[in-house]
Amino acid sequence: MDICKIHENASKCSVNTMECFMVLSTQAQKISIATLCGLFGTLCIFENSLVLYLIFSSPGTRRKPSYLFISSLALADILASIIFVCSFVNFHVFNETDFSKEMFLLQLGGVNTSFSASLSSLLLTALDRYISISRPSEYKLLMTRKRAWIALGLLWVVCATIASLPLLGWNCCTLNSTCSDLFPFVDDNYLGSWICFIMVLLGCIVYAYAHVLWRAHQHVAYMEKHQVQVGKQNTRMRMDVMLAKTLVMVLTVLVLCWSPVLVLMIYSIFARLSNHLRKVFAFCSTLCLLNSMVNPIIYALRSKELYSSLRMVFSRFRRQLKASEGSPEAESTHKSSMIET
């Protein structure tokens, strides 16, 4: 008899019942998940690390609050990739169950913290663009580096606290309540509360960007009527609009990648999920890595400062490569290889 049916009416708090959540039944499914996680995870870590390097290697970008928020997003994506890939592959591919309930909830809390911090960083960036466009004359006074660092500190503390609640006692084992069909030991009420938190963040981001795009539309209409007045203020406004459009693209990718996961999470609260839907959820979870992988590509293509820094890095690498090829050691090696030939 299926072990999941044996424990269907149980509290699902035994470590042995974690086998019920290992829904990948064939070797092809496991190989597919491992390939997707390995590919997306590796590219995500490399690309976001490159973004962090480009931001903090340039004095012009690391001093701006906008790029501090982007660096927080990149850091959150790196942590999410590392924790998610390691825990997800060990659980679904290698079927590792040799860990305690606390260890599993700690890993889940790490993934939730990273994703919540990533989304919250997008919210701070949206608020930064909102202030920059709605109150441009007061922007430098309102958005200082000190306030940006304080906001980032509060962001990570709040996200870590919310993600740690199951580990601190809000789980179905401690409360003897209904457990989730998607995550072992997770209380359905906590899952619903976490989804509400995420939806509030998404709603605030959408509202802020809607206002930014509305102001951008107003600015374009004004520029068409007053073609003569083109000064420093208008140049800065166009840069803010450009960055706002970039972050709207990031938000669009975020919603497209995470909406299948959130929809299945919401559905699991109100109805029991079949094994087929839980397999779909496992594959949809890899879209989170795809989102983290696409974000840096959008930065490099849309941000002029990061794109110019990236070109400088590549040109410097190319010069070093040519210099090494033209060195005496390289020439002597080339001559000796020619003689041997």
Side-chain angles (χ1 to χ4, degrees):
M1 186 179 292
D2 191 357
I3 187 173
C4 296
K5 293 183 178 180
I6 294 177
H7 296 280
E8 186 173 321
N9 298 322
S11 61
K12 297 181 182 178
C13 291
S14 172
V15 176
N16 294 329
T17 60
M18 291 181 66
E19 298 177 7
C20 302
F21 297 89
M22 299 175 181
V23 294
L24 302 182
S25 55
T26 65
Q27 195 68 19
Q29 294 174 355
K30 295 181 179 180
I31 293 175
S32 300
I33 285 288
T35 303
L36 291 175
C37 288
L39 178 63
F40 292 161
T42 302
L43 291 176
C44 176
I45 294 172
F46 171 75
E47 292 172 0
N48 284 284
S49 299
L50 181 60
V51 168
L52 288 177
Y53 172 77
L54 294 177
I55 290 176
F56 287 98
S57 62
S58 174
T61 55
R62 66 168 177 259
R63 294 173 183 171
K64 296 182 178 181
S66 302
Y67 288 102
L68 289 180
F69 299 146
I70 292 177
S71 63
S72 175
L73 176 62
L75 177 61
D77 287 338
I78 291 175
L79 294 178
S81 300
I82 295 174
I83 301 173
F84 178 85
V85 170
C86 293
S87 59
F88 197 78
V89 171
N90 283 335
F91 186 81
H92 284 289
V93 177
F94 298 107
N95 301 133
E96 289 288 340
T97 58
D98 190 18
F99 49 84
S100 62
K101 175 192 71 176
E102 290 75 16
M103 181 58 65
F104 178 83
L105 292 178
L106 180 62
Q107 294 176 356
L108 183 63
V111 175
N112 289 344
T113 299
S114 303
F115 170 63
S116 301
S118 176
L119 194 57
S120 300
S121 299
L122 277 177
L123 176 58
L124 289 181
T125 309
L127 294 176
D128 176 74
R129 294 300 93 198
Y130 178 88
I131 296 173
S132 176
I133 289 182
S134 62
R135 306 172 70 177
S137 59
E138 305 175 18
Y139 173 76
K140 289 187 177 181
L141 296 176
L142 295 175
M143 189 59 66
T144 61
R145 293 184 73 251
K146 181 179 179 180
R147 290 181 178 179
W149 281 111
I150 293 175
L152 288 175
L154 292 175
L155 176 157
W156 282 90
V157 170
V158 170
C159 292
T161 301
I162 294 176
S164 301
L165 290 177
L167 184 62
L168 298 176
W170 193 355
N171 56 73
C172 58
C173 302
T174 303
L175 302 177
N176 195 22
S177 56
T178 305
C179 294
S180 171
D181 286 339
L182 293 174
F183 306 101
F185 316 124
V186 174
D187 180 64
D188 262 347
N189 293 326
Y190 170 79
L191 182 60
S193 301
W194 187 80
I195 293 173
C196 290
F197 171 67
I198 296 301
M199 297 302 290
V200 168
L201 290 178
L202 284 173
C204 293
I205 294 174
V206 171
Y207 173 79
Y209 281 135
H211 182 82
V212 167
L213 291 179
W214 176 65
R215 292 298 297 265
H217 176 73
Q218 283 187 328
H219 177 70
V220 171
Y222 177 83
M223 291 289 293
E224 290 178 353
K225 292 182 180 180
H226 303 81
Q227 291 290 340
V228 181
Q229 299 179 4
V230 180
K232 186 176 181 180
Q233 183 78 11
N234 293 329
T235 303
R236 176 183 176 125
M237 194 73 172
R238 286 195 299 269
M239 291 176 62
D240 290 336
V241 171
M242 183 71 174
L243 186 54
K245 291 181 179 179
T246 300
L247 296 169
V248 167
M249 294 174 61
V250 175
L251 176 62
T252 302
V253 173
L254 177 78
V255 172
L256 291 177
C257 290
W258 278 91
S259 54
V261 174
L262 291 176
V263 168
L264 288 175
M265 285 183 182
I266 295 173
Y267 181 75
S268 69
I269 297 177
F270 300 100
R272 292 190 62 85
L273 294 180
S274 62
N275 284 336
H276 175 71
L277 285 179
R278 293 200 290 174
K279 289 180 182 179
V280 172
F281 178 80
F283 278 92
C284 288
S285 298
T286 59
L287 292 176
C288 309
L289 290 176
L290 178 62
N291 167 66
S292 299
M293 185 190 72
V294 170
N295 284 345
I297 299 176
I298 298 177
Y299 303 150
L301 293 178
R302 299 285 296 180
S303 174
K304 291 183 178 179
E305 292 176 294
L306 290 184
Y307 183 72
S308 60
S309 299
L310 183 61
R311 291 185 62 182
M312 289 178 61
V313 170
F314 279 129
S315 62
R316 191 185 310 126
F317 175 76
R318 194 180 299 112
R319 286 196 302 267
Q320 291 178 354
L321 188 62
K322 289 182 178 179
S324 62
E325 290 177 354
S327 62
E329 291 82 0
E331 291 181 359
S332 61
T333 304
H334 178 69
K335 292 179 180 179
S336 62
S337 61
M338 290 293 292
I339 294 173
E340 290 177 0
T341 304

